[in-house]
Amino acid sequence: MAPGKKITARIKRTLPVRGPQAPTLSELMRWYCLNTNTHGCRRIVVSRGRLRRFIWILLTLSAVGLILWQCAELLLNYYSASVSVTVQFQKLPFPAVTICNINPYKYSSMKDYLSELDKETKKALETFYGFSEGKSKVRRSAGDWNETESHFFNQIPLLKFEDFSRTATDLRSGRKRKIEGSVFHKDSSIVNSGDSNDIIGFQLCDANNSSECALYTFSSGVNAIQEWYKLHYMNIMAQIPLETKEELSYSADDLLLTCFFDGLSCDKRHFTRFHHPLHGNCYTFNSGENGTILSTSTGGSEYGLQVVLYIDEADYNPFLVTSTGAKIIVHDQDEYPFIEDIGTEIETAAATSIGMHFTRSRKLSKPYSDCTETGADIPVENLYNKSYSLQICLHSCFQKAMVESCGCAQYTQPLPAGAEYCNYKKNPNWMYCYYRLHEKFVKEQLGCQQICKDACSFKEWALTTSIAQWPSIVSEDWMLRVLSWDKGQKINKLNKTDLANLMVFYKDLNERFISENPTNTIVILLSNFGGQLGLWMSCSVVCVIEIVEVFFIDSLSIVMRRQWQKAKKWWNDRKREGSGKHQVGDVERQGHDNPVCIDEDLPTFNTALRLPLPQESHLPRTPPPNYSTLRLETAFTEQLPDTLEAGQH
């Protein structure tokens, strides 16, 4: 090795390059491995022999892989939650209990509005099943109401289908006609035990395009007649004012016979009336509207709510409802009672005991779960004026889509602002539009199920129901007689099939609180990261900062500087070509013309080492200094006079 190269190599060993001053990435990595606190990287450089170096490379890479895997698991588990259950024994607030008669309106009061619909239904039963009640008088006190509705009964009659063909018989006129349109079998999950001739249904067509039709069939004649009846029934009820419907339904005096709560007597003043589109007048006990919520400090049936209900089975609508009794729902005072969805039916001539367990639940919102605190972040207007729930959101979303698509609101749900309920007179196309829209809703094509979210906080009462015969045979006579007197019927004794006994109570006063808590916190997450780094790489936070500095900041600095040098060189070469100057060869590039020195940074020892060695050529060079001129005696050849005199003395 030449003397110059030996000196260069010795200087490189004694003065290693540092950080971004390294000319290449390989030298930067070598400097990092020699100076880092992670032992594995250092062993890769200082190990002797290829086998040992390969083993250390394999171990280091394996440790890095394990660190990345464990840290990824820690990050994924960071957003997990643990469930804790707390049980407390304390005085509990009593929930709101909403009670409705299964029959929404007194049939005797509704006959004026339903006479034409009932007539068509009886005619269909007679034609299809041979059912006949004999001729009955139909009252016409509602004026031309029934004549107006009769026109729409002719447009949407009940149909009988033959062998699943496109030919159907009109049960009103007995005529056969060809049916066009898509077929939707509403009872696909029910196996029809009869032959194909038992299939009946009805056809709905777009009023604006008669070729667009949908055919709805049913395996059961009961289901077909009830569905057809409810379709026209909702159209009729949508045109009756709310005040009139409240008068046609049951009053608190009609429904409630006796009432006890917590061992004390209560009456209709403790109940709040609200009108439900499908169940008429319903009454809520302990609604909290007056600002007072009742509570109980003792469990058991004697300290809950006890009521005797008068059902009046004789005044039921025979085509609208097929069961007898009442429906109740236990809910919070701020919740809307969805009786049609989750209501519990109460039998007549029976004592129904409902024991409750109270549970409060609390879920973590984002990023732990996709729930909402108050529903304010859901782009759906709450039409129920109650606290947010998933059911409220779904019903409100469908009603909004109904108004936008059909131009009117569906009868069973609250009215949006500025909308009105659908009816034949103003919206002749609403039935077809409603059924097609409901089909999309069930198939989750409206987007409501994607928009609506569960509530993060909710209260739940788990119900346990038991039924006993009531009244007993031995007490039936006197009890019915006394209840008849209380009802004001001093002559006729009540029938036990018109009565229902209901008891709602806490089985115990244990309140369960189910909550979600974060499994990990920031402190635990950082501690776990530190443990993994120390276990696999003997590394600390300072080491992590060092890795970030070297592998990201310094490496990026070196790469960017290289690119800048290449771009500057290209620009200088282009300028020289444009000016026509002589291109300096590589041999002639020395001093400031050397590419190593083309840098805006101050020259360093490392850049100086990269200068090329002088080549054998006849180019003029600076001559070496004359070291003899540095001798001191040559500078003072003539001695001063004063020094001579001093020397003589």
Side-chain angles (χ1 to χ4, degrees), residues 22 42 445 477 606 633:
R42 182 179 178 84
Q445 296 177 355
D477 185 65
N606 299 314
E633 60 272 19

Side-chain angles (χ1 to χ4, degrees), residues 427-441:
N427 312 98
N429 196 41
W430 81 267
M431 281 191 179
Y432 176 80
C433 182
Y434 165 72
Y435 269 85
R436 298 308 296 261
L437 198 66
H438 188 267
E439 177 193 353
K440 293 181 179 179
F441 178 78

Side-chain angles (χ1 to χ4, degrees), residues 281-400:
N281 290 341
C282 298
Y283 297 90
T284 302
F285 176 79
N286 194 28
S287 64
E289 282 193 355
N290 56 0
T292 302
I293 298 178
L294 301 176
S295 59
T296 181
S297 57
T298 307
S301 59
E302 296 183 0
Y303 299 96
L305 174 65
Q306 301 181 38
V307 292
V308 176
L309 306 175
Y310 180 65
I311 303 302
D312 195 11
E313 182 182 7
D315 212 7
Y316 267 41
N317 188 325
F319 306 114
L320 185 63
V321 293
T322 56
S323 58
T324 305
K327 264 192 172 183
I328 77 155
I329 181 173
V330 178
H331 58 96
D332 188 58
Q333 282 75 16
D334 293 332
E335 295 179 2
Y336 182 83
F338 286 97
I339 306 168
E340 70 277 17
D341 295 337
I342 55 177
T344 301
E345 294 189 353
I346 305 301
E347 294 184 16
T348 58
T352 304
S353 298
I354 299 179
M356 302 182 298
H357 288 287
F358 179 50
T359 302
R360 288 190 299 117
S361 300
R362 171 76 182 175
K363 297 171 61 178
L364 293 175
S365 57
K366 289 184 177 180
Y368 298 96
S369 65
D370 192 21
C371 67
T372 177
E373 293 288 349
T374 60
D377 56 332
I378 305 297
V380 176
E381 180 186 1
N382 189 341
L383 301 178
Y384 290 83
N385 295 323
K386 292 289 185 178
S387 60
Y388 175 87
S389 68
L390 178 60
Q391 286 177 301
I392 283 181
C393 181
L394 291 175
H395 285 286
S396 300
C397 179
F398 179 80
Q399 187 72 303
K400 179 182 177 182

Side-chain angles (χ1 to χ4, degrees), residues 183-213:
V183 179
F184 299 93
H185 193 58
K186 303 289 285 185
D187 293 336
S188 58
S189 60
I190 301 177
V191 179
N192 183 20
S193 59
D195 55 21
S196 59
N197 293 331
D198 293 332
I199 296 178
I200 63 174
F202 51 87
Q203 184 184 32
L204 298 177
C205 296
D206 190 350
N208 301 322
N209 185 5
S210 58
S211 61
E212 290 290 333
C213 296

Side-chain angles (χ1 to χ4, degrees), residues 392-606:
I392 283 181
C393 181
L394 291 175
H395 285 286
S396 300
C397 179
F398 179 80
Q399 187 72 303
K400 179 182 177 182
M402 182 77 183
V403 173
E404 293 176 353
S405 302
C406 307
C408 57
Q410 207 262 344
Y411 172 69
T412 61
Q413 297 164 4
L415 272 175
E420 58 182 2
Y421 286 126
C422 299
N423 64 79
Y424 291 142
K425 297 178 181 179
K426 297 182 179 180
N427 312 98
N429 196 41
W430 81 267
M431 281 191 179
Y432 176 80
C433 182
Y434 165 72
Y435 269 85
R436 298 308 296 261
L437 198 66
H438 188 267
E439 177 193 353
K440 293 181 179 179
F441 178 78
V442 173
K443 294 181 179 180
E444 300 185 4
Q445 296 177 355
L446 286 183
C448 295
Q449 288 81 357
Q450 291 75 24
I451 295 175
C452 297
K453 304 175 183 178
D454 286 320
C456 294
S457 301
F458 55 91
K459 298 177 182 179
E460 182 181 9
W461 284 267
L463 306 181
T464 303
T465 304
S466 60
I467 301 175
Q469 183 181 351
W470 180 89
S472 63
I473 297 177
V474 296
S475 61
E476 177 180 345
D477 185 65
W478 73 264
M479 184 174 291
L480 295 179
R481 181 68 66 182
V482 172
L483 290 175
S484 299
W485 276 70
D486 294 340
K487 185 68 176 174
Q489 300 181 9
K490 299 183 180 181
I491 299 177
N492 298 325
K493 185 177 69 173
L494 294 176
N495 192 334
K496 68 177 183 180
T497 57
D498 290 333
L499 304 177
N501 189 4
L502 172 65
M503 291 174 286
V504 182
F505 56 92
Y506 278 115
K507 299 184 70 173
D508 52 51
L509 297 182
N510 292 335
E511 176 187 356
R512 293 197 309 166
F513 179 61
I514 302 176
S515 62
E516 289 185 345
N517 301 307
T519 304
N520 297 297
T521 62
I522 294 295
V523 176
I524 296 177
L525 181 66
L526 294 178
S527 300
N528 291 334
F529 278 160
Q532 295 298 324
L533 292 173
L535 175 64
W536 299 109
M537 294 288 289
S538 67
C539 191
S540 63
V541 175
V542 177
C543 178
V544 173
I545 297 175
E546 183 183 72
I547 293 175
V548 173
E549 179 189 12
V550 172
F551 284 86
F552 293 96
I553 299 177
D554 293 350
S555 299
L556 181 62
S557 175
I558 292 175
V559 172
M560 294 300 295
R561 187 172 62 213
R562 281 296 187 91
Q563 296 299 324
W564 170 251
Q565 290 176 356
K566 290 181 180 179
K568 192 172 182 179
K569 175 181 175 296
W570 174 82
W571 179 253
N572 291 334
D573 293 344
R574 186 176 178 181
K575 287 177 63 177
R576 292 191 188 95
E577 292 175 358
S579 60
K581 292 183 179 180
H582 174 66
Q583 185 79 13
V584 181
D586 293 338
V587 179
E588 301 175 4
R589 292 178 181 176
Q590 296 182 10
H592 65 275
D593 292 328
N594 195 290
V596 179
C597 298
I598 301 176
D599 196 350
E600 294 182 355
D601 297 336
L602 295 175
T604 63
F605 184 78
N606 299 314

Side-chain angles (χ1 to χ4, degrees), residues 122 126 131-136 318-319:
K122 292 177 182 179
E126 184 178 358
F131 173 80
S132 177
E133 287 185 338
K135 295 183 179 181
S136 59
F319 306 114

Side-chain angles (χ1 to χ4, degrees), residues 72-107:
E73 290 290 332
L74 291 174
L75 288 176
L76 293 177
N77 292 331
Y78 178 73
Y79 293 110
S80 63
S82 61
V83 178
S84 63
V85 180
T86 304
V87 180
Q88 298 178 350
F89 181 83
Q90 59 183 3
K91 186 177 182 179
L92 295 179
F94 201 79
V97 180
T98 298
I99 305 172
C100 306
N101 198 323
I102 290 181
N103 185 56
Y105 303 99
K106 299 177 182 179
Y107 189 57

